[in-house]
Amino acid sequence: MASSSLPAPTAAPAVSWRGLPPRCRPPPSTSRGPLAPRAAARSCHYRFRTDDDGVVDVSVARKDGDGGGGYAVAVEVPPPREGGAGLVLRAVESSAGASEAAVLPLAPAAGGGARLAAELSFPADAALAPFHVSFLLADAAAGAGAEIRTHRGTSFRVPVGVGRGRPAPLGLSLADDGAANFAVYSKSAKAVALCLYGTTGDEQPAMEIELDPYVHRTGHVWHVSLESVEAYASYGFRCGLFGTDRPMLDPYAKVIGEIVPGTSVYDEGVTVPSTKCLASLANAPSYNWGRDKHPRLPLEKLVVYRTNVALFTKDKSSGLPENVAGTFSGLAAKVGHFRRLGVNAVLLEPVFPFHQEKGPYFPYHFFSPMSMYGGECSSVSAIKSMKDMVKTMHRNGIEVLLEVVFTHTAEGGAECQMISIRGIDSSSYYIADGVVGCKASVLNCNHPVTQKLILDSLRHWVLDFHVDGFCFINAPFLVKGPGGEGLSRPPLLEAIAFDPVLAKTKIIADPWSPLEISNVQFPFPHWKKWAEMNTRFSIDVRKFLKGEALISDLATRLCGSGDLFLSRGPASCFNYVSRNSGLTLVDLVSFNSDELASEFSWNCGEEGPSENHAVLQTRLRQIRNFLFILFVSLGIPVLNMGDECGHSAAGSTSYKDRGPLNWKALKTTFVKEVTGFISFLTALRSRRGDIFQRREFLKLENIHWYGSDLSEPLWEDPSSSFLCMHTIAEMDENAPDTVKEGSVWLRLVDTSLAFPGFFSSESTPKVHQVSGLSPYQESVFKDALTTRS
């Protein structure tokens, strides 16, 4: 263990080192004569109290110059004991192995006085820092029994190549000359050690540096610098919290190793799984972004496709090589699919390293992509693969948005698992729950240190990965304080809204909670910066097409959900019909058992898979209806992965039951119809952006509603399913409300017709032209737009 020391006024006390590799423990060569003045860079000073109440001063200096560099360790000691013939310095073996002993007589110090001095010199070719020097003092005449040791009876031990370090920035900072600075926040830790590993697979650290709180701590930040980390591959922080003595992953690490399980630890009757993940000591490889730039698409022009990186191309039917399928590269390889659909933004389910069993909504870490999403299943390959993917998307005019989870982690919970911040400072980062001896997995988001972690993470993804925006899962919890109380101005949300780096990115709140499996809209503080996922849209459209909603509810969603977004506008409203939890689009029209009552689904006459032609046609029409309403409603349409190709989870609402996308389905007639329809709808939105792509709501005088025979709609009649919406573009706002003589109606969509005639295309509009004022009859509209005629 460490020898203790008393710090000199300008110096660091001794640091403890364990298990140094032999190649890093060069035998010292002795210099002759007293300590001489020299020009040295980066010197450190240490003071030890001896067992006879004396004081020993040690200085460690880096030698630069003609001699090739290296290190000098100078020792100044009190005069010999009364009657002693003189003192000698004897180098002793380190705890990891022996080095050749060296005995050096001490001579009067160069500055005069009674003190004696000697110097150990370590040439540059032998002294691969960091390493330690350990020695004893002895009375040359008195023999072995007259050794002078520290007041604890240990040898004198000093580190070489170690400095005080800086408290900022947090994490690992590597300089061009190979020097490294480490900084970690921990208010709870009484002691912190930096553990260095020679290779990633090592069970025990090759070197361990115990940080002195009087020198290596500023506020609640522990820090240390090393002149080189060339001999090591990875590192972790040992904080000794919660009864575990294993190293924790640096929360700010940019390149991490594999997450591996280990032997469980028991504390206060609670089992703590010994999951371990170390951070790499290498910087992420440099990346050439070329002329890449953010598309900066206006919110109102977005068409979003939500997908899971792995499931999107993991199936063999994707036709991709094994090392590409299910990765960021696989996603980039299918950019043509997005373009054919008319999608200009992909929303990726969380890509942070996550718990394999719980899924991507339970992350371990916030600064690196999931290793399995890289072709080589490593952190470095995932980083490069993701950057390549973002670059490809941008080149095709497609933005990349990330779902992010900052309200909880995979740590904590009933199993009290620790891997990173929970084992470093759980009391600051987490909110306590009722589990004995544990902290919950719920993060204290509005605590200053957690807020900083989140902001630093977001900036990292924007600056280093060129991400275009974020969708915050479990958003209701972001407005809560540590006691669960609601905050009128949550500091985290306000900081995100006005952060200069995040100012031009999309920030979206999603009320869905993977913890409670809930999805409830709520008043969200937004400062006109935050957009939201519109849960009410999904519910009301499902209920309407099932025949259980008032037409007034549908009208509100068609017009941009003014009841929820009046203070922001429809561009802040992200509409969806299905999502990655709950029923898929095809399952919405195929299942409606009692267990699915909250899904508001309808099986169209037969539960589950069917070969009944009438049932299949009704289901197809319903899918068309869902898509049509989604794309003609004001707001941002969000397609879920598989919506376009009949992706099914066999009626399951569990996220875990979602399987990989079957790319063979794209060749079927059904999918060709649906994908063609989506392409038409995205083109229609773009062509008539004056109506469908709006930042502001339509003026009331430009919207006219009709019921049957041009009468007033039966807004409050639950049996009424007929609604006609007549919208006048603002450029035509001075035109009279009546149709001029000689004008014609152009039918663009009729979901009751057979393919390919149920929707038009811009190149053949006359095919569907109906002369004069020839009206659709009520029964036709009912057959086209409702579930039951």
Side-chain angles (χ1 to χ4, degrees):
M1 293 299 294
S3 60
S4 68
S5 60
L6 300 175
T10 60
V15 180
S16 173
W17 303 71
R18 300 175 183 172
L20 192 62
R23 66 178 182 279
C24 298
R25 295 192 309 275
S29 61
T30 59
S31 63
R32 299 174 183 174
L35 196 65
R38 63 189 181 279
R42 287 178 279 192
S43 62
C44 296
H45 305 275
Y46 304 88
R47 174 165 289 175
F48 295 88
R49 183 157 55 93
T50 67
D51 55 3
D52 60 354
D53 292 327
V55 174
V56 174
D57 290 311
V58 183
S59 65
V60 180
R62 177 75 177 269
K63 298 191 299 182
D64 296 322
D66 298 336
Y71 296 90
V73 178
V75 181
E76 287 192 1
V77 304
R81 292 187 178 95
E82 184 177 354
L87 289 179
V88 295
L89 182 152
R90 180 181 299 130
V92 298
E93 63 184 38
S94 74
S95 59
S99 60
E100 295 180 8
V103 177
L104 177 66
L106 282 82
R115 294 177 69 81
L116 304 178
E119 180 178 292
L120 299 175
S121 181
F122 298 86
D125 57 351
L128 184 60
F131 58 91
H132 77 264
V133 174
S134 186
F135 63 89
L136 293 172
L137 300 175
D139 189 320
E147 291 176 335
I148 301 174
R149 299 174 180 267
T150 71
H151 74 290
R152 288 188 173 180
T154 63
S155 62
F156 300 92
R157 192 183 225 178
V158 294
V160 177
V162 178
R164 180 177 185 272
R166 306 180 307 276
L170 293 175
L172 167 66
S173 303
L174 290 174
D176 293 338
D177 63 355
N181 188 80
F182 301 84
V184 62
Y185 180 97
S186 182
K187 179 181 179 180
S188 303
K190 302 302 181 183
V192 172
L194 172 67
C195 302
L196 303 175
Y197 290 78
T199 61
T200 304
D202 289 351
E203 287 295 324
Q204 298 297 324
M207 180 180 293
E208 185 172 323
I209 309 169
E210 293 179 359
L211 309 187
D212 190 296
Y214 295 100
V215 177
H216 296 282
R217 184 173 67 178
T218 302
H220 299 306
V221 177
W222 299 74
H223 46 81
V224 64
S225 62
L226 304 181
E227 293 190 10
S228 173
V229 290
E230 181 182 347
Y232 306 97
S234 55
Y235 72 98
F237 293 107
R238 190 191 304 273
C239 298
L241 297 177
F242 200 68
T244 179
D245 200 34
R246 56 191 169 81
M248 298 288 116
L249 173 65
D250 180 0
Y252 277 77
K254 307 303 187 296
V255 182
I256 68 174
E258 183 183 359
I259 300 174
V260 294
T263 304
S264 296
V265 177
Y266 298 91
D267 183 66
E268 298 181 6
V270 177
T271 302
V272 183
S274 183
T275 304
K276 185 175 74 172
C277 181
L278 298 174
S280 173
L281 282 166
N283 272 329
S286 59
Y287 186 80
N288 181 12
W289 283 100
R291 302 180 66 181
D292 178 76
K293 61 181 181 179
H294 296 276
R296 304 287 189 208
L297 300 174
L299 268 172
E300 65 270 16
K301 295 189 179 298
L302 293 184
V303 176
V304 181
Y305 187 99
R306 187 202 316 250
T307 187
N308 176 283
V309 174
L311 297 181
F312 188 62
T313 60
K314 188 176 181 179
D315 194 85
K316 291 183 178 180
S317 60
S318 67
L320 299 175
E322 187 174 346
N323 66 332
V324 174
T327 68
F328 291 118
S329 298
L331 195 71
K334 297 297 184 179
V335 68
H337 180 66
F338 299 130
R339 295 193 64 179
R340 285 188 291 273
L341 291 175
V343 166
N344 57 18
V346 290
L347 175 59
L348 305 184
E349 292 179 16
V351 300
F352 300 166
F354 56 82
H355 193 288
Q356 290 279 27
E357 294 182 5
K358 294 182 178 179
Y361 292 98
F362 293 84
Y364 283 120
H365 189 59
F366 302 121
F367 286 86
S368 60
M370 185 69 174
S371 295
M372 64 182 252
Y373 291 162
E376 299 174 5
C377 291
S378 69
S379 186
V380 170
S381 69
I383 290 170
K384 182 182 184 304
S385 181
M386 182 172 178
K387 291 179 178 180
D388 286 343
M389 179 272 295
V390 172
K391 191 174 181 179
T392 298
M393 294 297 176
H394 285 179
R395 190 164 54 243
N396 286 273
I398 299 174
E399 294 195 336
V400 178
L401 312 176
L402 300 183
E403 284 189 338
V404 290
V405 180
F406 290 119
T407 59
H408 59 276
T409 70
E411 297 185 292
E415 69 272 27
C416 303
Q417 189 176 59
M418 286 191 296
I419 190 171
S420 183
I421 56 178
R422 191 172 171 274
I424 290 175
D425 191 3
S426 58
S427 63
S428 294
Y429 287 105
Y430 286 105
I431 296 175
D433 70 351
V435 180
V436 177
C438 297
K439 296 293 183 182
S441 61
V442 178
L443 287 168
N444 191 357
C445 302
N446 287 293
H447 186 285
V449 67
T450 313
Q451 176 179 322
K452 174 176 170 54
L453 177 77
I454 294 171
L455 288 171
D456 287 345
S457 171
L458 294 172
R459 296 184 193 114
H460 171 67
W461 292 101
V462 173
L463 296 175
D464 202 45
F465 285 84
H466 292 201
V467 166
D468 301 287
F470 306 92
C471 179
F472 294 77
I473 300 298
N474 199 18
F477 203 88
L478 297 174
V479 306
K480 295 183 179 181
E485 71 279 11
L487 304 176
S488 59
R489 295 186 64 175
L492 172 63
L493 300 186
E494 188 169 7
I496 292 173
F498 295 101
D499 185 86
V501 174
L502 307 176
K504 293 185 178 180
T505 64
K506 278 77 176 176
I507 50 176
I508 310 155
D510 190 337
W512 180 69
S513 169
L515 293 174
E516 301 172 353
I517 315 298
S518 62
N519 197 14
V520 181
Q521 207 81 34
F522 76 107
F524 194 81
H526 54 78
W527 297 275
K528 292 190 176 181
K529 302 281 188 179
W530 282 83
E532 286 183 54
M533 286 289 174
N534 188 359
T535 300
R536 287 303 314 176
F537 181 91
S538 175
I539 294 173
D540 288 345
V541 172
R542 291 183 186 191
K543 292 174 71 175
F544 174 77
L545 290 180
K546 189 179 181 181
E548 295 180 354
L550 296 174
I551 55 174
S552 57
D553 296 331
L554 176 65
T556 301
R557 304 308 153 214
L558 288 170
C559 292
S561 298
D563 57 335
L564 302 173
F565 297 91
L566 185 61
S567 61
R568 283 173 283 178
S572 297
C573 169
F574 279 65
N575 299 324
Y576 65 92
V577 170
S578 67
R579 60 173 302 140
N580 47 9
S581 62
L583 293 177
T584 68
L585 180 57
V586 75
D587 287 352
L588 273 175
V589 300
S590 304
F591 298 89
N592 66 329
S593 62
D594 293 340
E595 294 79 10
L596 299 175
S598 61
E599 294 290 319
F600 305 107
S601 57
W602 179 46
N603 61 21
C604 298
E606 187 175 330
E607 188 71 4
S610 174
E611 296 182 0
N612 186 302
H613 179 74
V615 170
L616 294 176
Q617 288 303 307
T618 303
R619 290 177 179 177
L620 177 57
R621 186 168 68 246
Q622 284 293 82
I623 289 174
R624 295 171 180 174
N625 290 339
F626 274 121
L627 293 172
F628 178 74
I629 295 174
L630 175 64
F631 280 92
V632 300
S633 298
L634 267 66
I636 315 305
V638 180
L639 279 170
N640 202 51
M641 185 189 81
D643 281 355
E644 76 278 25
C645 58
H647 192 51
S648 173
S652 172
T653 60
S654 172
Y655 176 84
K656 295 181 179 180
D657 290 335
R658 296 296 172 96
L661 200 63
N662 181 5
W663 288 85
K664 291 181 179 180
L666 291 172
K667 299 178 181 180
T668 64
T669 302
F670 162 74
V671 174
K672 288 180 180 178
E673 290 185 26
V674 174
T675 54
F677 189 37
I678 293 173
S679 299
F680 162 76
L681 292 172
T682 56
L684 176 63
R685 284 182 62 89
S686 179
R687 191 165 65 248
R688 293 310 308 267
D690 54 337
I691 296 177
F692 302 117
Q693 296 178 340
R694 297 182 57 83
R695 185 166 287 273
E696 304 294 336
F697 287 103
L698 288 163
K699 296 180 180 179
L700 291 177
E701 57 267 29
N702 289 337
I703 307 175
H704 301 277
W705 303 100
Y706 302 103
S708 178
D709 299 325
L710 299 183
S711 61
E712 181 72 13
L714 302 177
W715 297 114
E716 303 301 325
D717 185 353
S719 65
S720 175
S721 57
F722 185 93
L723 182 66
C724 175
M725 179 181 180
H726 179 197
T727 303
I728 302 174
E730 289 197 356
M731 66 181 65
D732 300 326
E733 61 183 357
N734 295 324
D737 186 26
T738 57
V739 179
K740 296 180 179 180
E741 184 178 355
S743 64
V744 296
W745 289 96
L746 184 66
R747 184 183 70 216
L748 295 180
V749 177
D750 184 340
T751 61
S752 69
L753 299 179
F755 182 79
F758 75 92
F759 65 91
S760 176
S761 67
E762 189 178 14
S763 60
T764 59
K766 292 183 179 180
V767 173
H768 303 290
Q769 182 171 298
V770 181
S771 60
L773 298 178
S774 177
Y776 266 93
Q777 300 297 320
E778 179 179 354
S779 61
V780 177
F781 273 111
K782 282 187 176 181
D783 194 38
L785 297 178
T786 66
T787 60
R788 298 171 183 172
S789 57

